[in-house]
Amino acid sequence: MSDYLAFKKMITPLIVQVIFWIGVVLVVLAGVFFLMNEQALQGLLMIVFGPIGWRVYCEMLIVMFSINDTLTDIRNDARRRGAGVVSPPGQMLATGDADRY
């Protein structure tokens, strides 16, 4: 619980999962609405492909948070190793540092 309060652990991926299921229900209901209004092809396509498209969108949101978690882990590992500052790409390391990486 303290990780959530200190913003060390994100709750947004959990919220995205809830939003995903709400979105699936809404997309299927919209497909049924199209079916009832004599737009069978649009309704069927929405029922079949709507949840897939919504899933892809929600997965992209979760990937952004996963990237944040990975970058946070890299930063914490670098601090634990005492690196302090990580060299930008293409910059040469001091002599002897190349063996550490």
Side-chain angles (χ1 to χ4, degrees):
M1 185 68 169
S2 64
D3 286 343
Y4 288 113
L5 296 176
F7 290 93
K8 293 180 182 176
K9 184 158 176 77
M10 299 286 183
I11 62 169
T12 310
L14 180 65
I15 293 172
V16 170
Q17 291 175 6
V18 171
I19 290 172
F20 166 74
W21 287 110
I22 292 170
V24 166
V25 169
L26 292 175
V27 166
V28 170
L29 288 176
V32 170
F33 176 76
F34 279 114
L35 285 173
M36 293 171 58
N37 287 327
E38 299 178 6
Q39 296 174 339
L41 182 62
Q42 289 91 346
L44 187 61
L45 289 174
M46 185 171 282
I47 290 172
V48 173
F49 294 110
I52 295 170
W54 185 244
R55 169 78 184 230
V56 169
Y57 175 75
C58 289
E59 283 182 6
M60 286 190 297
L61 291 175
I62 290 177
V63 163
M64 285 190 269
F65 290 101
S66 176
I67 290 170
N68 178 51
D69 289 341
T70 303
L71 289 173
T72 301
D73 291 342
I74 291 170
R75 183 190 64 206
N76 292 339
D77 287 344
R79 285 182 180 167
R80 268 185 259 136
R81 281 188 272 139
V85 177
V86 178
S87 300
Q91 184 176 352
M92 296 295 293
L93 298 172
T95 306
D97 286 345
D99 295 335
R100 292 192 320 181
Y101 300 98

